[in-house]
Amino acid sequence: MCAMTTGGFRDIQPVEPDLVNSVMQSAALLATILVAHAESQTRLQICRALQDEGYKVLEGVASTDTLSALDAHIPDLLIVGFPGSDAITFLQSIHHHPVRAAVALLALDMGGEAVPLLEAGADDVLAMPLNTQGLRLKVHSLLRMKVAERTARELVSRRSRDQQSLQRASQRLAACRRLSDVLTVTAEVLRANLGFDRVSIALYEQDTYTLRYAVSTDSQGRVYSPQDTPVAVVLSPGSQMLELPAYQSLFVDRQETYYIPDTGGRAPAYFRPFLDGPVGETLLVALRVGDQDVGLVTVDNLLSGRKFGPEDAGLLLTLGRQVALAIERARLADELEARAREAEVLAQVGATLSSVLEPAQLYDLVLEQAAKTLPFDMAAVLLYRDGWATVAASWGDPGVPADTRLWPLGEPMKSWLPEDNRPPVYIRDTDANIGWLDQEPWLAPHQLRSLISVPISAEGKVVGTFVIAGFAANFYSQRQVGLAAAFGDRIGQALRNANLYVAERERARASEELMQLRTSFVESVSHELRTPLTAILGYAEILQAHWNGSTDESRLEWVEKIAAAASRQQRLVEDLLLLTRVEGGEVGPRIERVHLKTIAQRAAEEVQASYRGQRIDLVGSEHLAVLADPGRALQIVTNLMDNAAKYSPEGSPIIVWWGPEDNTGSLRVLDRGPGVPSNGRDHLFTRFGRVPGSRMRAGRVGTGLGLYLGKGLATAMGGELDLESTGSEGSTFRLRLPLARD
Ligand code: ADP
């Protein structure tokens, strides 16, 4: 026998005529014949002749015992040889007998009664006297007729049984809502009702050209669905599998059936993946709706040994059409249901993601939610930072910590890292598309074969990408690609939300701070303005009231106090004016060569005038000159010394030290005060920045402008002002200005 033939079912050869004859002969040999004859000698003669041929023979003498033998044994052939009208009467009496139809009837014609005997119901007539050869021939042909009749009857009854089964199957299929039910019912019907031994059904996915074997029956007739590891065959154009004759004729030549007379025990595993045992005669039938492939059914009859006939192909084709329709219907229903479920999940994902307000927390949650929606073996959110795709969060690879820079952007090989808004990139098989994955140290061990990458955009700009990947090629369906895109959208929305929230929070914080600053500014400024005014008014009133009774000395003292207060106020007003100019960037310092010693001395004089008895030690090189605006430099240093006095206890000394340092002239003001607490250091140099809880000497006020202005002025002169060190032992502020070269 041949191992495997190509071609359609029509190639099945009809059963050979010789074989039919031998079947017939053996059927005839097994036949039982009842010989009814009144006359014993002839009866014996007939019986002997038939026994010699190998038939089983029973005898009847009169009509009564013949009838009971007929009932008891239901022979294949009855030979009636009653004399005269007895034979006709007997034949008429059994005409409606229940077993009559099963029995062939040969009447012996004793002389000229052939026609009445045939009319009375005999199937054939044999003229007497007995001719043994004639008897043999008649008996043989009658039995052959009987066997043929029975076979035909069986065929008809099988056909009608099959028709009924088909009808019931189509009713059952029509009632199936789920794809899994369609498959189970089909397998059951093919096996139990239509009599095929073993069955398997595969579904075809058009977008991936994949045939997935979904249901099979085993030799005990159990139906099972290997859902977890469905065997998939890729039949994409040019693929090796498509070269195989079975797939070639069904999926390329578009034949409806494919017949394999005998696989010779070498079952092609690709179309019988779940088979438990050898395969002989096999029949494959394509499931199609219109021209569209839906799947494939494979059956065999190895266990029963029943041979396939053309009617099997007809049956399978008829059922196949109904199954294909039912599959399409169920797939559509499943698809609609899946979409509704996805929409629901996506809405939930969107809501969950949008509830995250810190962008940094978003990315891990994204992967957590993605795992509920999409299958993957590895996933990552990559953000584009400083021209690099950087890991924000990853799943399935603990070796890549967040903030790892993976690839620079803009490389032609990495076109799947989208930098503009575009549909997701789906790489079905990295082996075929991009070999470079093997060289990526953190990807190589995982052998990722499929990859989807979706751009994440916030405020119209692509800020990163969401990547999911699988170990298998063709891991994703087109629907899942769409789902990944929808997921990317939700990430973008969530990111926008989080960014908006952060910006809003910053704005709120800034405006609250501003409000506070304004309030404290107004309070400080009005206080500062009022204090000298009170002094001016007070001494002016004293002067007025005591002009005549007072000495010139006292009057002079009061006038001096008025003048001092007025000049303080003038300074404050100047500070405020300067503030607006510094902030507006309009301070154009008049740079000239100036000695740091001069500035230190003048500042010390001013501060000592304000803090009587304040000890200020001046230490520094005599001729160290810097390039600066003398007025501004004096203002900065005076403020540093004033602060050193103001924020230190009465009697604690101030040291002022200056000297060259890194191409600058550096001046330090050291005090022994409480220092600046760590929580206040950030505020020092800000506008109105004051350290909460700072203690000042009695009668002093601060505006929080001095250091801020000082820093602005120092910068404008190309220098720097900072807090060098601070602690419980006091603070050191340092002013650096460009050195003046000789
Ligand atoms: P003002 O002294 O008018 O408040 P400044 O800008 O000169 O403004 O100083 C800002 C703040 O820095 C002060 O309010 C004070 O809290 C802190 N500060 C400045 N100098 C010293 C210092 N030598 N010791 C301790 N704290 C200081």
Side-chain angles (χ1 to χ4, degrees):
M1 280 221 152
C2 59
M4 188 163 151
T5 50
T6 57
F9 191 76
R10 277 172 224 90
D11 294 350
I12 294 182
Q13 293 301 313
V15 186
E16 302 121 48
D18 284 354
L19 193 69
V20 175
N21 282 336
S22 67
V23 168
M24 292 298 183
Q25 264 156 17
S26 54
L29 280 175
L30 291 173
T32 305
I33 301 172
L34 175 59
V35 180
H37 206 287
E39 200 254 299
S40 58
Q41 200 173 342
T42 318
R43 192 172 67 238
L44 207 64
Q45 211 179 343
I46 295 173
C47 288
R48 279 220 186 99
L50 294 176
Q51 273 161 345
D52 287 351
E53 287 289 298
Y55 297 117
K56 191 177 168 202
V57 179
L58 302 167
E59 291 178 53
V61 179
S63 56
T64 30
D65 65 320
T66 303
L67 210 55
S68 39
L70 194 66
D71 274 343
H73 302 287
I74 315 178
D76 297 286
L77 174 66
L78 170 64
I79 299 175
V80 177
F82 297 136
S85 61
D86 285 3
I88 292 170
T89 318
F90 179 75
L91 288 183
Q92 282 167 343
S93 75
I94 62 163
H95 194 65
H96 294 294
H97 194 280
V99 299
R100 167 66 189 89
V103 181
L105 229 158
L106 176 66
L108 302 179
D109 176 11
M110 309 296 183
E113 288 170 349
V115 174
L117 282 169
L118 286 170
E119 277 172 359
D123 293 319
D124 206 347
V125 176
L126 177 70
M128 292 305 253
L130 184 66
N131 169 344
T132 329
Q133 182 60 19
L135 174 72
R136 280 196 202 110
L137 281 174
K138 284 270 181 205
V139 165
H140 193 179
S141 86
L142 268 173
L143 283 175
R144 270 191 72 163
M145 180 196 84
K146 199 74 221 162
V147 169
E149 212 175 65
R150 199 179 294 155
T151 313
R153 237 196 337 266
E154 269 168 15
L155 204 67
V156 167
S157 91
R158 175 162 181 228
R159 281 218 176 116
S160 87
R161 224 179 31 242
D162 288 348
Q163 284 308 321
Q164 281 170 8
S165 297
L166 273 180
Q167 215 166 5
R168 269 201 306 276
S170 72
Q171 280 165 358
R172 286 181 69 188
L173 285 172
C176 292
R177 293 281 162 268
R178 316 201 69 86
L179 186 57
S180 54
D181 295 342
V182 174
L183 298 176
T184 318
V185 165
T186 307
E188 262 174 31
V189 167
L190 283 169
R191 233 194 51 78
N193 303 96
L194 297 181
F196 298 105
D197 287 353
R198 293 180 299 187
V199 176
S200 74
I201 306 165
L203 298 175
Y204 187 68
E205 283 165 13
Q206 302 201 7
D207 55 346
T208 54
Y209 301 104
T210 305
L211 196 57
R212 280 181 210 281
Y213 283 85
V215 155
S216 193
T217 65
D218 64 11
S219 53
Q220 269 86 50
R222 285 181 299 235
V223 176
Y224 65 100
S225 314
Q227 295 286 357
D228 294 337
T229 50
V231 176
V233 175
V234 179
L235 299 175
S236 52
S239 74
Q240 270 186 346
M241 282 298 187
L242 212 54
E243 299 286 307
L244 295 171
Y247 292 131
Q248 174 82 34
S249 57
L250 293 170
F251 288 88
V252 179
D253 303 341
R254 316 289 303 158
Q255 285 196 41
E256 286 190 294
T257 56
Y258 186 83
Y259 172 64
I260 303 173
D262 188 0
T263 60
R266 286 173 285 124
Y270 56 88
F271 64 86
R272 302 304 307 269
F274 312 121
L275 210 62
D276 52 340
V279 186
E281 202 183 25
T282 296
L283 183 57
L284 289 81
V285 175
L287 298 178
R288 291 197 187 118
V289 172
D291 214 22
Q292 197 175 301
D293 287 307
V294 171
L296 180 68
V297 167
T298 312
V299 292
D300 77 33
N301 275 338
L302 189 83
L303 303 175
S304 66
R306 180 171 77 77
K307 287 270 163 202
F308 283 131
E311 73 279 3
D312 289 308
L315 269 180
L316 274 179
L317 276 175
T318 314
L319 185 72
R321 279 179 201 130
Q322 291 170 8
V323 171
L325 274 175
I327 288 175
E328 274 305 274
R329 209 179 41 227
R331 268 183 171 175
L332 204 68
D334 278 3
E335 167 98 8
L336 287 176
E337 202 176 296
R339 281 198 179 203
R341 228 180 11 248
E342 277 163 19
E344 202 176 301
V345 171
L346 272 179
Q348 269 173 14
V349 166
T352 313
L353 293 185
S354 296
S355 68
V356 177
L357 298 174
E358 292 298 334
Q361 292 168 7
L362 186 68
Y363 308 115
D364 284 324
L365 193 69
V366 161
L367 298 183
E368 205 177 283
Q369 294 291 315
K372 290 186 190 167
T373 327
L374 288 157
F376 51 76
D377 294 310
M378 204 218 78
V381 178
L382 307 178
L383 290 183
Y384 300 162
R385 288 194 197 128
D386 310 324
W388 282 77
T390 309
V391 176
S394 71
W395 191 97
D397 194 303
V400 190
D403 294 329
T404 306
R405 285 177 160 198
L406 289 184
W407 303 288
L409 297 174
E411 283 194 7
M413 286 288 277
K414 314 256 170 43
S415 57
W416 60 275
L417 278 178
E419 287 178 69
D420 49 17
N421 244 323
R422 60 167 90 153
V425 177
Y426 175 27
I427 296 169
R428 288 178 182 282
D429 190 351
T430 52
D431 272 3
N433 284 270
I434 36 174
W436 60 264
L437 271 184
D438 304 340
Q439 283 129 48
E440 291 300 331
W442 64 277
L443 283 180
H446 303 291
Q447 294 171 329
L448 296 173
R449 295 281 299 276
S450 311
L451 184 142
I452 299 180
S453 142
V454 185
I456 302 174
S457 59
E459 277 102 52
K461 209 176 135 239
V462 174
V463 294
T465 176
F466 167 60
V467 184
I468 51 174
F471 296 152
N474 290 301
F475 194 61
Y476 295 103
S477 68
Q478 219 43 50
R479 215 186 70 228
Q480 286 169 322
V481 177
L483 195 59
F487 200 82
D489 270 0
R490 301 301 185 285
I491 304 175
Q493 274 166 19
L495 199 58
R496 262 193 305 280
N497 266 3
N499 285 341
L500 275 179
Y501 171 78
V502 169
E504 190 53 41
R505 193 181 54 190
E506 279 304 303
R507 230 188 349 260
R509 205 172 57 88
S511 86
E512 194 179 316
E513 249 172 28
L514 201 68
M515 282 300 289
Q516 263 173 10
L517 287 176
R518 279 202 182 125
T519 316
S520 67
F521 173 66
V522 171
E523 275 169 10
S524 312
V525 166
S526 47
H527 186 88
E528 281 278 304
L529 288 171
R530 212 178 302 123
T531 312
L533 259 185
T534 315
I536 292 167
L537 281 172
Y539 287 113
E541 275 167 14
I542 293 172
L543 205 55
Q544 232 174 8
H546 303 283
W547 185 266
N548 288 328
S550 56
T551 60
D552 280 351
E553 255 175 23
S554 315
R555 283 199 295 262
L556 188 63
E557 191 189 327
W558 294 329
V559 170
E560 274 172 1
K561 285 195 167 145
I562 289 173
S567 75
R568 237 182 95 198
Q569 191 160 29
Q570 187 186 18
R571 248 191 65 195
L572 183 67
V573 172
E574 277 170 0
D575 268 3
L576 287 171
L577 285 174
L578 184 61
L579 172 81
T580 33
R581 290 178 56 206
V582 167
E583 288 192 336
E586 304 168 16
V587 269
R590 295 192 317 270
I591 301 293
E592 56 188 72
R593 188 185 164 83
V594 52
H595 285 104
L596 279 179
K597 184 182 177 189
T598 317
I599 291 176
Q601 275 176 338
R602 285 207 193 137
E605 280 163 22
E606 266 196 50
V607 172
Q608 274 163 336
S610 173
Y611 298 81
R612 283 192 195 263
Q614 174 64 51
R615 189 180 138 196
I616 302 178
D617 298 341
L618 303 178
V619 188
S621 25
E622 195 71 22
H623 302 294
L624 184 68
V626 292
L627 291 174
D629 179 327
R632 303 290 186 224
L634 179 63
Q635 189 174 354
I636 299 170
V637 177
T638 309
N639 181 58
L640 293 181
M641 287 190 204
D642 189 83
N643 281 351
K646 191 162 65 176
Y647 296 106
S648 309
E650 201 102 23
S652 90
I654 299 169
I655 301 168
V656 180
W657 174 95
W658 64 93
E661 185 183 327
D662 301 336
N663 281 332
T664 65
S666 158
L667 181 145
R668 289 176 165 79
V669 178
L670 292 76
D671 66 52
R672 294 271 169 78
V676 182
S678 54
N679 63 349
R681 284 169 210 161
D682 293 344
H683 294 298
L684 285 186
F685 294 95
T686 61
R687 193 172 174 238
F688 305 114
R690 310 187 64 198
V691 180
S694 285
R695 289 169 129 238
M696 286 178 283
R697 286 196 201 172
R700 304 287 163 176
V701 287
T703 57
L705 287 177
L707 288 176
Y708 174 69
L709 279 174
K711 196 173 185 81
L713 290 172
T715 313
M717 293 187 288
E720 245 181 286
L721 174 65
D722 55 14
L723 170 64
E724 192 180 44
S725 70
T726 185
S728 55
E729 282 299 289
S731 316
T732 304
F733 285 86
R734 176 178 64 170
L735 169 68
R736 283 187 290 176
L737 291 166
L739 264 186
R741 311 250 171 231
D742 290 328

